[in-house]
Amino acid sequence: MELDLFISGIGGQGIQLVGKSLALAAIKDGRHVMLAGEYGGHMRGGSSVGTVVIGAKPLRALPILPHAGSAIALSHLFWERVGSRLRPGSLVLAEETIAADLPDMEKHRLVRLPATAIATEQGSRMAAGMVMLGAFAALTGAVKIDSAVAAMAEQIPSYRRQHIEANERAIRAGAAAVTPLAYAVDFDAREVA
């Protein structure tokens, strides 16, 4: 089985860092991974979507995902680029403050999480994406929490190393804020052709 995921938000929220950290954590856990980024025309404030596919075997997914079965939403802006590509019944992990602004959620399994508030409690409002990374890992079992922390630390450039501690606290707090394995992924399940 493959887990396919959109991570949606606006530039500057760390969307691509969340995707890279999740992908690297999956590699650390012995899985096969594909990662791609879709960007708007702005460095900050424009659309930012990361796509991650994780599988126990070599992947069959296309380089750019036409559809996915899960999403992380940190902003409602530009959501139409992702929401219209979700399969019915998808898991959507949404920042609590924007969840009501996401259309058509009755077709999906919506999990609301006060990621920004949790990140602020952990010392860095900017670590909301890391809260979501920890929560997604705990909800699905896609990656181990320790692997997510290690992957995040590897991705942080030298001039931002001071943020690693707060990011780690945010990942662990996100994992603690949800019911572990509520939406567990069975990577060993047989694929239906």
Side-chain angles (χ1 to χ4, degrees):
M1 177 172 191
E2 294 177 3
L3 177 139
D4 42 17
L5 166 72
F6 293 123
I7 306 161
S8 175
I10 55 177
Q13 288 185 303
I15 300 303
Q16 301 307 318
L17 177 60
V18 171
K20 288 177 185 176
S21 296
L22 182 61
L24 183 57
I27 290 168
K28 288 178 179 298
D29 289 347
R31 306 224 193 276
H32 295 266
V33 178
M34 181 186 69
L35 168 70
E38 303 172 21
Y39 307 92
H42 301 88
M43 184 172 196
R44 297 204 182 278
S47 173
S48 182
V49 177
T51 62
V52 180
V53 180
I54 302 170
K57 298 178 181 172
L59 302 177
R60 300 181 335 177
L62 299 171
I64 300 296
L65 292 180
H67 303 286
S70 55
I72 294 174
L74 281 162
S75 175
H76 64 286
L77 300 176
F78 312 109
W79 175 253
E80 68 278 356
R81 295 184 69 195
V82 168
S84 64
R85 293 162 53 192
L86 288 174
R87 291 188 292 274
S90 292
L91 168 63
V92 177
L93 176 59
E95 160 57 48
E96 184 176 69
T97 60
I98 61 99
D101 297 323
L102 301 177
D104 302 322
M105 285 299 105
E106 66 279 353
K107 298 188 292 189
H108 304 297
R109 298 171 293 165
L110 178 65
V111 176
R112 300 168 188 253
L113 186 67
T116 303
I118 292 170
T120 301
E121 289 171 6
Q122 298 306 313
S124 176
R125 183 179 193 279
M126 297 301 293
M130 296 294 113
V131 171
M132 294 299 239
L133 171 60
F136 186 80
L139 281 169
T140 65
V143 299
K144 297 174 187 157
I145 300 304
D146 288 341
S147 297
V149 169
M152 170 277 300
E154 285 182 30
Q155 299 300 308
I156 301 294
S158 60
Y159 58 91
R160 293 209 170 135
R161 306 296 289 170
Q162 71 274 17
H163 299 294
I164 291 175
E165 215 173 284
N167 284 350
E168 178 176 355
R169 288 193 307 271
I171 290 169
R172 294 190 188 283
V178 297
T179 303
L181 303 178
Y183 299 95
V185 176
D186 182 1
F187 286 107
D188 296 322
R190 294 186 67 151
E191 293 284 337
V192 177

Coordinates of all heavy atoms in Angstrom, one line a residue, residues 114-152:
P114 N -5.3 22.4 16.9 CA -4.9 23.8 17.2 C -3.3 23.9 17.1 O -2.6 24.2 18.0 CB -5.4 24.1 18.6 CG -5.4 22.8 19.3 CD -5.7 21.8 18.2
A115 N -2.8 23.6 15.9 CA -1.4 23.6 15.7 C -0.6 24.8 16.0 O 0.4 24.8 16.6 CB -1.1 23.1 14.2
T116 N -1.2 26.0 15.6 CA -0.5 27.2 15.9 C -0.5 27.5 17.4 O 0.6 27.9 18.0 CB -1.2 28.4 15.2 OG1 -1.2 28.1 13.8 CG2 -0.5 29.7 15.4
A117 N -1.6 27.2 18.1 CA -1.6 27.4 19.6 C -0.6 26.4 20.3 O 0.1 26.8 21.2 CB -3.0 27.2 20.1
I118 N -0.6 25.2 19.8 CA 0.4 24.2 20.4 C 1.8 24.7 20.1 O 2.7 24.6 21.0 CB 0.1 22.8 19.8 CG1 -1.2 22.3 20.3 CG2 1.3 21.8 20.2 CD1 -1.7 21.0 19.6
A119 N 2.1 25.1 18.9 CA 3.5 25.6 18.6 C 3.9 26.8 19.4 O 5.0 26.8 19.9 CB 3.5 26.0 17.1
T120 N 2.9 27.7 19.7 CA 3.2 28.8 20.5 C 3.5 28.4 21.9 O 4.5 28.9 22.5 CB 2.0 29.8 20.5 OG1 1.7 30.2 19.1 CG2 2.2 31.0 21.3
E121 N 2.7 27.4 22.4 CA 3.0 26.9 23.8 C 4.4 26.3 23.9 O 5.0 26.3 24.9 CB 2.0 25.8 24.1 CG 0.6 26.4 24.4 CD -0.4 25.2 24.5 OE1 0.0 24.0 24.5 OE2 -1.6 25.6 24.6
Q122 N 4.9 25.7 22.7 CA 6.2 25.1 22.7 C 7.3 26.0 22.4 O 8.5 25.6 22.3 CB 6.2 23.9 21.7 CG 5.2 22.9 22.0 CD 5.3 22.3 23.4 OE1 6.4 22.0 23.8 NE2 4.2 22.2 24.1
G123 N 7.0 27.3 22.3 CA 8.0 28.3 22.2 C 8.3 28.9 20.8 O 9.2 29.8 20.6
S124 N 7.5 28.5 19.8 CA 7.7 29.0 18.5 C 6.4 28.9 17.7 O 6.1 27.8 17.2 CB 8.8 28.2 17.7 OG 9.0 28.7 16.4
R125 N 5.8 30.0 17.5 CA 4.5 30.0 16.7 C 4.8 29.5 15.3 O 3.9 28.9 14.7 CB 4.0 31.5 16.7 CG 2.7 31.6 15.9 CD 2.2 33.1 15.9 NE 0.9 33.2 15.5 CZ 0.4 33.2 14.3 NH1 1.3 33.0 13.3 NH2 -0.8 33.3 14.0
M126 N 6.0 29.7 14.8 CA 6.3 29.3 13.4 C 6.5 27.8 13.3 O 6.6 27.3 12.2 CB 7.6 30.0 13.0 CG 7.5 31.5 12.9 SD 6.3 32.1 11.8 CE 7.0 31.6 10.3
A127 N 6.4 27.1 14.3 CA 6.6 25.6 14.3 C 5.2 24.9 14.1 O 5.2 23.7 14.4 CB 7.3 25.1 15.5
A128 N 4.2 25.5 13.7 CA 2.9 24.9 13.5 C 3.0 23.7 12.5 O 2.3 22.7 12.7 CB 1.8 25.9 13.0
G129 N 3.8 23.9 11.5 CA 4.0 22.8 10.6 C 4.6 21.5 11.2 O 4.3 20.4 10.9
M130 N 5.5 21.8 12.2 CA 6.1 20.7 12.9 C 5.1 20.0 13.8 O 5.1 18.8 13.9 CB 7.3 21.2 13.7 CG 8.5 21.8 12.9 SD 9.3 20.5 11.9 CE 8.8 21.1 10.2
V131 N 4.2 20.7 14.4 CA 3.1 20.1 15.1 C 2.3 19.2 14.3 O 2.0 18.1 14.6 CB 2.2 21.2 15.8 CG1 1.0 20.6 16.4 CG2 3.0 22.1 16.8
M132 N 2.0 19.7 13.1 CA 1.2 18.9 12.1 C 2.0 17.6 11.7 O 1.4 16.6 11.5 CB 0.8 19.7 10.9 CG -0.1 20.8 11.2 SD -1.7 20.3 11.9 CE -2.8 20.9 10.7
L133 N 3.3 17.8 11.5 CA 4.1 16.6 11.1 C 4.0 15.6 12.2 O 3.8 14.4 12.0 CB 5.6 17.1 10.9 CG 6.6 16.0 10.8 CD1 6.3 15.1 9.6 CD2 8.0 16.6 10.7
G134 N 4.2 15.9 13.5 CA 4.1 15.0 14.6 C 2.7 14.4 14.7 O 2.6 13.2 14.9
A135 N 1.7 15.2 14.5 CA 0.3 14.7 14.6 C 0.0 13.7 13.5 O -0.5 12.6 13.7 CB -0.7 15.8 14.6
F136 N 0.5 14.0 12.3 CA 0.2 13.1 11.1 C 1.0 11.8 11.3 O 0.4 10.7 11.1 CB 0.7 13.8 9.8 CG 0.3 13.0 8.6 CD1 -1.0 13.0 8.1 CD2 1.3 12.2 8.0 CE1 -1.3 12.2 7.0 CE2 0.9 11.4 6.9 CZ -0.4 11.4 6.4
A137 N 2.2 11.9 11.8 CA 3.0 10.7 12.1 C 2.3 9.8 13.1 O 2.2 8.6 13.0 CB 4.4 11.0 12.5
A138 N 1.8 10.4 14.2 CA 1.1 9.6 15.2 C -0.2 9.1 14.7 O -0.6 7.9 15.1 CB 0.9 10.5 16.4
L139 N -1.0 9.9 14.0 CA -2.3 9.4 13.5 C -2.2 8.2 12.6 O -3.0 7.3 12.6 CB -3.0 10.5 12.8 CG -3.7 11.6 13.6 CD1 -4.1 12.8 12.7 CD2 -4.9 11.0 14.3
T140 N -1.2 8.2 11.7 CA -1.1 7.2 10.6 C -0.1 6.2 10.8 O -0.1 5.1 10.2 CB -0.8 7.9 9.3 OG1 0.5 8.5 9.4 CG2 -1.8 9.0 8.9
G141 N 0.9 6.4 11.7 CA 2.1 5.5 11.8 C 2.9 5.5 10.6 O 3.8 4.6 10.4
A142 N 2.8 6.5 9.7 CA 3.6 6.6 8.5 C 5.1 6.6 8.8 O 5.9 6.1 8.0 CB 3.2 7.8 7.7
V143 N 5.5 7.3 9.8 CA 6.9 7.4 10.2 C 6.9 7.4 11.8 O 6.0 7.7 12.4 CB 7.7 8.6 9.7 CG1 7.7 8.6 8.2 CG2 7.1 9.9 10.2
K144 N 8.1 7.0 12.3 CA 8.3 7.0 13.8 C 8.6 8.5 14.2 O 9.2 9.2 13.4 CB 9.5 6.2 14.1 CG 9.3 4.7 13.9 CD 10.5 3.9 14.1 CE 10.4 2.5 13.7 NZ 11.6 1.8 13.4
I145 N 8.1 8.8 15.3 CA 8.3 10.2 15.8 C 9.8 10.5 15.9 O 10.2 11.6 15.5 CB 7.6 10.4 17.2 CG1 6.1 10.2 17.1 CG2 7.9 11.8 17.7 CD1 5.4 11.0 16.0
D146 N 10.6 9.6 16.4 CA 12.0 9.9 16.5 C 12.7 10.1 15.1 O 13.6 10.9 15.0 CB 12.7 8.8 17.3 CG 12.4 8.8 18.8 OD1 12.0 9.8 19.3 OD2 12.7 7.7 19.4
S147 N 12.2 9.4 14.1 CA 12.7 9.5 12.8 C 12.3 10.9 12.2 O 13.1 11.6 11.5 CB 12.1 8.5 11.9 OG 12.6 7.2 12.3
A148 N 11.1 11.4 12.6 CA 10.6 12.7 12.1 C 11.5 13.8 12.7 O 11.9 14.7 12.1 CB 9.2 12.9 12.5
V149 N 11.8 13.6 14.0 CA 12.7 14.6 14.7 C 14.1 14.6 14.1 O 14.6 15.7 13.8 CB 12.7 14.3 16.2 CG1 13.8 15.1 16.9 CG2 11.4 14.6 16.9
A150 N 14.6 13.5 13.9 CA 16.0 13.4 13.3 C 16.0 14.0 11.9 O 16.9 14.7 11.5 CB 16.5 11.9 13.3
A151 N 15.0 13.7 11.1 CA 14.9 14.2 9.7 C 14.8 15.7 9.7 O 15.4 16.4 8.9 CB 13.7 13.5 9.0
M152 N 13.9 16.2 10.6 CA 13.8 17.7 10.7 C 15.1 18.3 11.0 O 15.5 19.3 10.4 CB 12.8 18.0 11.8 CG 12.7 19.5 12.1 SD 13.9 20.1 13.4 CE 13.5 19.1 14.8

